Amino acid sequence: DVKVTQSSRYLVKRTGEKVFLECVQDMDHENMFWYRQDPGLGLRLIYFSYDVKMKEKGDIPEGYSVSREKKERFSLILESASTNQTSMYLCASRLPGPDTEAFFGQGTRLTVV
Amino acid sequence: KNQVEQSPQSLIILEGKNCTLQCNYTVSPFSNLRWYKQDTGRGPVSLTIMTFSENTKSNGRYTATLDADTKQSSLHITASQLSDSASYICVVRIGNTGKLIFGQGTTLQVKP
């Protein structure tokens, strides 16, 4: 059974803190993604990675960075958390190819106070 | 602009009834369209994938249709169950970049 696991279901952090969101997949997928999901806006792409040590900016990368030191792990970093980064964060992974399915983690609901 | 619009935004139906969710897109070039189901507090899970040449595809009580000419898709749920209560997200893949464009989702509530 394929699995994408995010390290936390719920997080509460203070403004200005550095926050790490971890994502691990066990499917040997090359491609990994970080999205945020907000009501009425759908999923928006923050960063993605096509391979180890590779990263590309998505549509809303400001205030975020990522790390992919190992194929199975993709970390999202909030350098200095702000209240407007309160959101649901979803990690996904998939194989390369036009019709491959993206598998999502269960999400991390982050609240910045 | 590449966009995916879903309607209705939310829907309440009685258990056992059928319903249809709509998705209109302006994505070009088109690669494929997926419907995802997202239970509350969970990540989305794929229900179906539609490519350009496919008109209809079923997955149990879920049937997706695609009209590539009008750039519309629908998801029909037959004999709804309480477990169908979820958000349903339409996702279109851009052909040349592989980027996914997400709709805002339709929230379905099935009441007993």
Side-chain angles (χ1 to χ4, degrees):
Chain A
D1 203 17
V2 298
K3 207 158 188 183
V4 179
T5 304
Q6 295 182 228
S7 53
S8 304
R9 292 290 302 273
Y10 301 95
L11 273 180
V12 180
K13 296 292 182 180
R14 296 193 179 277
T15 301
E17 274 193 83
K18 190 169 186 176
V19 181
F20 293 86
L21 303 183
E22 305 287 345
C23 175
V24 178
Q25 50 96 2
D26 64 0
M27 298 165 282
D28 204 33
H29 287 173
E30 283 82 359
N31 300 350
M32 296 189 73
F33 307 82
W34 274 106
Y35 295 90
R36 63 177 284 176
Q37 184 177 32
D38 300 290
L41 295 179
L43 275 75
R44 293 180 292 166
L45 181 63
I46 304 171
Y47 266 96
F48 60 101
S49 169
Y50 285 143
D51 207 342
V52 178
K53 300 216 185 269
M54 293 180 65
K55 58 185 179 184
E56 298 283 345
K57 292 180 180 179
D59 298 319
I60 51 166
E62 296 78 19
Y64 304 95
S65 63
V66 290
S67 173
R68 185 126 182 242
E69 295 297 318
K70 293 184 178 181
K71 189 175 186 179
E72 66 270 19
R73 186 180 298 269
F74 193 34
S75 303
L76 180 69
I77 304 154
L78 285 66
E79 297 290 342
S80 178
S82 63
T83 54
N84 62 14
Q85 292 179 309
T86 291
S87 186
M88 168 73 99
Y89 290 87
L90 289 163
C91 174
S93 74
R94 71 174 188 222
L95 288 167
D99 295 337
T100 58
E101 179 181 347
F103 293 89
F104 287 85
Q106 78 277 26
T108 296
R109 184 162 294 282
L110 172 67
T111 302
V112 182
V113 298
Chain B
K1 184 181 177 183
N2 291 308
Q3 275 187 313
V4 175
E5 299 285 342
Q6 292 186 242
S7 62
Q9 190 172 7
S10 62
L11 183 62
I12 301 174
I13 62 173
L14 292 176
E15 187 178 13
K17 298 295 186 183
N18 303 334
C19 68
T20 300
L21 314 181
Q22 300 289 346
C23 173
N24 297 336
Y25 61 93
T26 57
V27 175
S28 182
F30 175 88
S31 177
N32 59 55
L33 182 150
R34 281 188 188 271
W35 283 94
Y36 279 85
K37 179 187 179 188
Q38 184 177 21
D39 292 314
T40 301
R42 298 285 190 179
V45 176
S46 178
L47 292 173
T48 65
I49 178 174
M50 307 287 290
T51 56
F52 189 86
S53 58
E54 294 174 308
N55 299 119
T56 304
K57 186 173 284 187
S58 292
N59 177 5
R61 295 180 295 101
Y62 300 102
T63 299
T65 66
L66 176 67
D67 186 334
D69 292 330
T70 62
K71 298 189 177 182
Q72 295 180 324
S73 176
S74 66
L75 181 69
H76 185 76
I77 304 174
T78 304
S80 61
Q81 300 176 358
L82 298 179
S83 59
D84 292 329
S85 295
S87 287
Y88 292 84
I89 304 171
C90 176
V91 186
V92 179
R93 184 166 179 164
I94 301 177
N96 52 358
T97 65
K99 183 177 178 180
L100 301 181
I101 308 297
F102 290 81
Q104 301 97 318
T106 292
T107 301
L108 173 66
Q109 187 177 358
V110 180
K111 289 192 168 182

